[in-house]
Amino acid sequence: MVTKKSGRKPASVVAGVFTALGLTALSLAVSAVPAAAESNPMIEGDYKQWDAVEVVNGNSFPARCADHTEQFRFRFYYSPNYQGAFINIGHPLYDLLAVYAGDGAHPLKFCGGEGAAGWGQNVGNNAASVYNWYDGYCGTVYYYAGYNRKGAYKTYWPHSGGNLQDVGLRNDNRSIDFANCW
């Protein structure tokens, strides 16, 4: 009996080579799909971004009031422990009580749940907790407008947050700035 050699390696040998290299078919497939890139919060945003709309299950929300997006990944909450109304932030805000909105400066207001505690209230000097969903950027909350370090301030690293009363900023928060953390 004559056996013809095909020149192909058995599947177990090929799988062994990939395993030795630390690769799997799944990792190869996943690496081919680009990850969504978060926006850079260190860049001053165009006031029109506050009007950007996010559609969730057929319902439209301003992106600042929807779940965090790639553009808005830092959140202020009205109540402690990430409760109550909220707003998403995606760039530095010099004064939370005077945010330029195309027709002049206005106080930034809590949204994210009509009827929730704090809904419609000013964010400046009214927030009780924060959370930072950014992957590579830190957000610093300041007691004073203008990123002024003469008063209390606290930097929140990626994927962290906390109650502002723990650092002397509850109901005393006027500005936020961002920086690279790494």
Side-chain angles (χ1 to χ4, degrees):
M1 174 179 206
V2 177
T3 308
K4 189 174 180 183
K5 203 169 186 181
S6 70
R8 294 185 350 185
K9 302 277 185 219
S12 61
V13 172
V14 174
V17 170
F18 276 111
T19 303
L21 294 174
L23 302 173
T24 65
L26 179 59
S27 68
L28 291 174
V30 170
S31 65
V33 179
E38 66 186 7
S39 65
N40 181 346
M42 296 178 352
I43 300 170
E44 280 293 332
D46 181 351
Y47 71 88
K48 293 176 185 166
Q49 81 175 0
W50 293 101
D51 296 328
V53 174
E54 184 85 5
V55 178
V56 179
N57 296 327
N59 297 315
S60 296
F61 300 95
R64 68 183 180 270
C65 300
D67 275 343
H68 64 276
T69 64
E70 298 310 314
Q71 189 174 13
F72 298 94
R73 297 188 68 143
F74 192 96
R75 185 176 284 180
F76 281 97
Y77 293 89
Y78 179 79
S79 300
N81 303 316
Y82 319 118
Q83 301 294 310
F86 62 83
I87 187 154
N88 299 314
I89 306 296
H91 62 84
L93 292 172
Y94 188 82
D95 188 350
L96 296 169
L97 293 176
V99 175
Y100 184 73
D103 61 346
H106 303 279
L108 192 61
K109 305 281 187 179
F110 282 107
C111 52
E114 187 171 350
W119 186 80
Q121 298 293 313
N122 292 342
V123 175
N125 294 335
N126 266 333
S129 57
V130 298
Y131 196 85
N132 180 8
W133 273 283
Y134 280 104
D135 292 323
Y137 300 99
C138 291
T140 302
V141 178
Y142 296 90
Y143 182 94
Y144 289 113
Y147 325 122
N148 187 324
R149 292 182 178 250
K150 290 182 181 175
Y153 62 91
K154 168 76 174 166
T155 299
Y156 293 92
W157 285 77
H159 302 280
S160 72
N163 291 324
L164 293 174
Q165 79 181 34
D166 298 341
V167 292
L169 291 168
R170 182 174 181 177
N171 297 337
D172 285 317
N173 52 289
R174 284 288 297 276
S175 59
I176 181 170
D177 199 10
F178 293 93
N180 284 314
C181 292
W182 314 116

